[in-house]
């Protein structure tokens, strides 16, 4: 029979041999959840995987009865999402280690250890990681740990819905409006029960692309795995699969089986059927930057260190005196002007008027009278700029004012110079665009805030037919499938790498910041007003 699948005709005739390579969630059926059960007033709605918003996963209250069940039903893999956490309500006594009841166990990978399949695990005690293995035969009760991370629906569908189970999620953040009619109630901010609808990903002998077959398609099949040479089929690889290859295997030639959906250059050149050379894999630094604007939505960018444009500084804004202390540096004195008045409750500390200008000195303590009693409070020592002199003053650090930086530095900087000389965040505007980029998207942005430096995984590729330039493609933000070709690489040394400024979505921005900030401790809270 001939079936229509995602706009492509697919002939499934009797005797056709199909190699199933995976299962993928096609869409989600959602029901509003109350007290961990489907609401009796809730209708089921279909949610596409690109439905906007960020969600928190609610821990499943039903335990797993063995490690083998966990490995069979839960996604465990090399990516950031593939490290689920569980705890046991009882101590687990192993040969050289005891896992205490309630301890969070992180599952990292599954592999064969001394002839027995086991899971590589880690527990953290007193900030020290302890590694051990749990055999798949280990039985007991294992409960999911609470997960404080946020995810897109696509990430939840791919990594956070166990096989044969539903998943409850809580809406954490609505990022932007949906272009189509919203299937959820207006201003909804509760929980949803998600039930995945799968599709089968398969290969056919006479096709180079991947066939997507809906799981409810009425076709009878027979398992012939044990009596068929499956090596005659193509082996599709994701970018993550390619990145997992050893460095000795590069460079390699590959043909694209499924290209990315992204329309921005150069990703729009990566269409199905094209051959590419993959020269190497590596980690590369990027500057995460956001457009400076009061209204939303803001645009977000990842800027490579190879960016050749120049920047001029733009004034930073500081909502509190505490933020002035954080921004203060030894390199140059911070000069600010107040844009909001503040009346000090202490005669020893200055009241601020709009337009007052200050040179920020340092943070210290000062004794003040408060309610008839002496109290020691944190203060910010400054010099107030008067018409013909400077006056030493003290501002309470808890002061909720508003300040704007006064810029005296007119110099133009390359990106590498800014990263070397100034702490981030840092506000700039492009003063000289990068002439090596045909359309420099940063040049049209009125102002940018460099938020932080991140490190991400990339593959360096070029066209196989016309390798005049190479470019970097992000491993974890670009969805495409390739299969390797047994061709010799004619050019081992990659051509000149083209600078690519990557514009990322709001969801991707949150994901990048989320994982980068996992390794950073949050800044201390500002001091509160004394009571």
């Amino acid at each position: 029979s001939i079936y229509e699948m995602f706009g492509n005709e697919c002939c499934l005739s009797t005797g056709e041999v199909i190699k199933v390579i995976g299962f993928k969630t096609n869409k989600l059926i959602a029901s509003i959840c109350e007290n961990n059960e489907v609401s009796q007033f809730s209708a089921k709605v279909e949610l596409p995987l690109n439905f906007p918003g960020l969600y928190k996963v609610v821990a499943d209250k039903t335990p797993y009865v063995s490690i083998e069940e966990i490995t069979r039903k839960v996604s465990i893999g090399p990516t950031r999402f593939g490290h689920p956490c569980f705890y046991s309500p009882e101590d687990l006594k192993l040969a050289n280690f005891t896992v205490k009841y309630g301890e969070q166990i992180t599952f990292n990978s599954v592999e064969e250890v001394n002839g027995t399949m086991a899971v590589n695990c880690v527990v953290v005690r007193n900030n020290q990681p302890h590694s051990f293995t749990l055999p798949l035969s280990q039985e007991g009760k294992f409960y999911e740990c609470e997960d404080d991370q946020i995810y897109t629906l696509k990430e939840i569908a791919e990594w956070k819905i166990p096989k044969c189970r539903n998943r409850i999620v809580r809406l954490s953040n609505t990022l932007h409006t949906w272009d189509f009619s919203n299937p959820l109630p207006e201003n909804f901010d509760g929980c949803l029960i998600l039930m995945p609808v799968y599709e089968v990903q398969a290969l056919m002998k006479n096709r180079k692309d991947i066939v997507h077959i809906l799981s409810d398609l009425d076709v009878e099949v027979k398992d012939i795995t044990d009596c068929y040479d499956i090596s005659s089929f193509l082996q599709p690889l994701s970018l993550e699969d390619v990145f997992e290859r050893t460095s000795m295997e590069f460079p390699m030639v590959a043909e694209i089986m499924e290209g990315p959906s992204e329309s921005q250059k150069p990703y729009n050149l990566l269409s199905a059927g094209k051959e590419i050379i993959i020269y190497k894999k590596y980690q590369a630094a990027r500057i995460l930057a956001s457009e400076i604007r009061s209204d939303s939505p803001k645009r977000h960018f990842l800027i490579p260190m190879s960016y050749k444009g120049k920047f001029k500084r733009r004034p930073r804004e500081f909502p509190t005196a505490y933020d002035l202390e954080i921004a203060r540096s030894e390199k140059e004195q911070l000069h600010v002007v107040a844009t909001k008045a503040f009346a000090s409750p202490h005669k020893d500390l200055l009241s601020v008027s709009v337009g007052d200008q200050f040179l920020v000195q340092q943070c210290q303590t000062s004794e003040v009278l408060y309610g008839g009693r002496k109290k020691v409070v944190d203060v910010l020592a400054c010099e107030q700029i008067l018409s013909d002199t400077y006056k030493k003053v003290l501002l309470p650090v808890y002061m909720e004012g508003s300040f704007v930086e006064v810029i005296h530095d007119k110099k133009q900087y390359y990106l590498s110079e800014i990263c070397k000389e100034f702490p981030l965040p840092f506000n700039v505007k492009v003063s000289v665009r990068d002439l090596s980029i045909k359309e420099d998207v940063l040049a049209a942005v009125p102002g940018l805030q460099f938020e932080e430096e991140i490190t991400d995984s990339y593959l360096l590729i070029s066209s196989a037919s016309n390798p005049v330039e190479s470019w970097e493609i992000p491993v974890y933000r670009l969805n495409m499938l390739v299969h390797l070709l047994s061709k010799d690489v004619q050019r081992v040394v990659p051509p000149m790498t083209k600078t690519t400024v990557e514009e990322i979505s709001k969801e991707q921005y949150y994901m990048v910041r989320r994982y980068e900030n996992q390794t950073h401790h949050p800044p201390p809270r500002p001091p509160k007003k004394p009571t």
Side-chain angles (χ1 to χ4, degrees):
S1 302
I2 296 179
Y3 296 92
E4 181 77 13
M5 298 181 188
F6 295 89
N8 298 316
E9 282 188 353
C10 178
C11 181
L12 297 178
S13 55
T14 302
E16 183 83 60
V17 179
I18 301 172
K19 179 185 177 183
V20 176
I21 59 172
F23 298 90
K24 184 178 179 183
T25 303
N26 175 260
K27 58 188 175 183
L28 295 165
I29 304 298
S31 306
I32 293 176
C33 172
E34 294 177 357
N35 300 321
N36 291 342
E37 295 181 355
V38 176
S39 169
Q40 58 179 327
F41 305 107
S42 172
K44 293 182 178 180
V45 296
E46 284 190 9
L47 294 181
L49 300 189
N50 61 344
F51 189 75
L54 294 172
Y55 303 82
K56 283 195 171 183
V57 169
V58 177
D60 194 339
K61 300 261 189 307
T62 304
Y64 295 83
V65 297
S66 68
I67 300 300
E68 186 272 336
E69 184 189 7
I70 293 175
T71 60
R72 198 163 25 87
K73 295 184 177 180
V74 179
S75 297
I76 302 172
T79 73
R80 297 159 169 166
F81 305 108
H83 304 306
C85 297
F86 296 86
Y87 70 90
S88 170
E90 300 176 351
D91 287 356
L92 296 176
K93 292 184 171 64
L94 308 175
N96 301 314
F97 191 73
T98 297
V99 181
K100 299 175 183 176
Y101 71 91
E103 266 191 315
Q104 178 172 298
I105 310 168
T106 302
F107 287 39
N108 286 329
S109 61
V110 182
E111 62 181 54
E112 188 174 324
V113 179
N114 299 326
T116 303
M117 295 303 294
V119 179
N120 290 314
C121 303
V122 170
V123 297
V124 177
R125 291 178 185 166
N126 301 320
N127 295 323
Q128 293 295 320
H130 299 272
S131 300
F132 59 96
T133 59
L134 285 175
L136 268 58
S137 58
Q138 179 77 45
E139 295 182 343
K141 287 187 177 180
F142 300 92
Y143 291 86
E144 271 191 336
C145 293
E146 294 293 337
D147 188 345
D148 61 355
Q149 296 300 318
I150 52 177
Y151 303 93
T152 63
L153 271 189
K154 186 173 184 295
E155 291 171 340
I156 290 172
E158 291 178 354
W159 289 97
K160 297 298 176 182
I161 301 183
K163 293 181 180 68
C164 306
R165 296 195 184 196
N166 296 332
R167 170 61 79 191
I168 300 176
V169 298
R170 180 179 293 108
L171 183 62
S172 175
N173 190 353
T174 303
L175 293 179
H176 51 74
T177 56
W178 185 233
D179 293 335
F180 309 99
S181 59
N182 192 338
L184 298 178
E186 189 176 358
N187 300 321
F188 175 76
D189 64 352
C191 290
L192 296 171
I193 295 182
L194 302 179
M195 183 178 70
V197 177
Y198 294 101
E199 68 179 35
V200 177
Q201 297 172 301
L203 296 173
M204 299 174 68
K205 295 284 288 185
N206 59 342
R207 298 176 65 132
K208 283 190 174 182
D209 58 343
I210 292 173
V211 179
H212 302 263
I213 306 173
L214 291 177
S215 57
D216 57 359
L217 192 63
D218 187 14
V219 178
E220 290 186 3
V221 295
K222 181 181 179 181
D223 185 359
I224 59 170
T225 307
D226 295 336
C227 56
Y228 195 87
D229 180 17
I230 60 173
S231 63
S232 58
F233 284 92
L234 299 177
Q235 177 61 46
L237 300 172
S238 67
L239 295 186
E240 291 96 322
D241 294 330
V242 175
F243 195 81
E244 289 297 313
R245 300 259 169 159
T246 64
S247 298
M248 298 294 292
E249 296 178 71
F250 294 87
M252 57 183 69
V253 182
E255 181 180 350
I256 298 173
M257 299 181 72
E258 275 194 352
S261 58
E262 280 77 359
S263 58
Q264 64 174 336
K265 292 181 180 179
Y267 309 136
N268 60 342
L269 305 176
L270 302 174
S271 56
K274 289 203 172 181
E275 293 184 8
I276 58 173
I277 301 173
I278 307 174
Y279 293 97
K280 59 180 177 177
K281 65 172 187 175
Y282 51 89
Q283 302 280 317
R286 291 291 187 271
I287 294 297
L288 178 62
S290 294
E291 184 180 17
I292 299 174
R293 56 187 300 172
S294 55
D295 57 337
S296 59
K298 296 179 181 179
R299 298 168 71 188
H300 306 282
F301 306 92
L302 287 174
I303 310 173
M305 293 300 180
S306 60
Y307 181 80
K308 301 177 183 64
K310 287 188 175 183
F311 301 92
K312 276 189 174 180
R313 297 175 64 173
R314 277 198 51 165
R316 293 171 288 178
E317 296 183 6
F318 306 99
T320 69
Y322 178 69
D323 293 295
L324 297 178
E325 162 61 17
I326 293 176
R328 185 176 63 84
S329 74
E330 302 297 328
K331 178 178 170 57
E332 60 177 357
Q333 197 159 40
L334 182 59
H335 178 189
V336 296
V337 57
T339 57
K340 181 181 176 182
F342 171 78
S344 173
H346 318 293
K347 65 177 183 179
D348 299 325
L349 306 182
L350 186 71
S351 293
V352 176
S353 302
V354 174
D356 286 351
Q357 296 191 47
F358 302 94
L359 296 176
V360 179
Q361 303 289 330
Q362 64 191 31
C363 193
Q364 60 189 57
T365 57
S366 178
E367 201 174 63
V368 298
L369 276 174
Y370 196 87
R373 292 179 297 146
K374 287 187 175 182
K375 287 231 176 201
V376 175
V377 297
D378 292 315
V379 296
L380 192 63
C382 300
E383 287 187 335
Q384 184 179 9
I385 302 175
L386 304 175
S387 56
D388 56 354
T389 186
Y390 296 89
K391 177 184 176 184
K392 292 187 179 296
V393 296
L394 299 176
L395 302 178
V397 173
Y398 61 79
M399 162 188 170
E400 292 186 7
S402 183
F403 302 90
V404 174
E405 184 179 19
V406 179
I407 300 291
H408 300 283
D409 181 4
K410 306 300 181 186
K411 183 182 173 183
Q412 299 182 102
Y413 293 91
Y414 287 110
L415 182 60
S416 57
E417 294 175 323
I418 291 174
C419 295
K420 184 178 179 181
E421 296 183 27
F422 301 101
L424 302 183
F426 196 74
N427 292 1
V428 296
K429 182 186 185 318
V430 174
S431 56
V432 179
R433 73 179 185 87
D434 186 341
L435 298 176
S436 71
I437 304 176
K438 188 173 181 180
E439 296 177 12
D440 186 350
V441 293
L442 299 182
V445 179
L448 287 166
Q449 182 175 80
F450 292 164
E451 296 185 13
E452 59 185 319
E453 182 178 327
I454 71 161
T455 302
D456 212 348
S457 303
Y458 291 89
L459 296 172
L460 185 67
I461 71 167
S462 75
S463 166
S465 59
N466 188 26
V468 293
E469 63 183 18
S470 61
W471 60 87
E472 298 169 321
I473 57 173
V475 172
Y476 297 109
R477 284 187 303 281
L478 209 60
N479 291 317
M480 58 183 283
L481 290 172
V482 302
H483 72 92
L484 302 183
L485 302 176
S486 55
K487 288 185 176 181
D488 292 331
V489 178
Q490 300 299 317
R491 182 169 183 168
V492 178
V493 178
M496 182 185 69
T497 303
K498 185 178 178 64
T499 297
T500 303
V501 175
E502 185 184 354
E503 184 167 356
I504 59 176
S505 67
K506 189 82 170 179
E507 286 90 346
Q508 289 172 331
Y509 166 79
Y510 274 94
M511 298 308 106
V512 169
R513 295 221 66 178
R514 171 185 64 185
Y515 288 112
E516 198 65 25
N517 291 337
Q518 278 186 354
T519 57
H520 299 160
H521 294 293
R525 289 175 175 265
K528 292 183 178 180
K529 186 175 180 178
T531 55

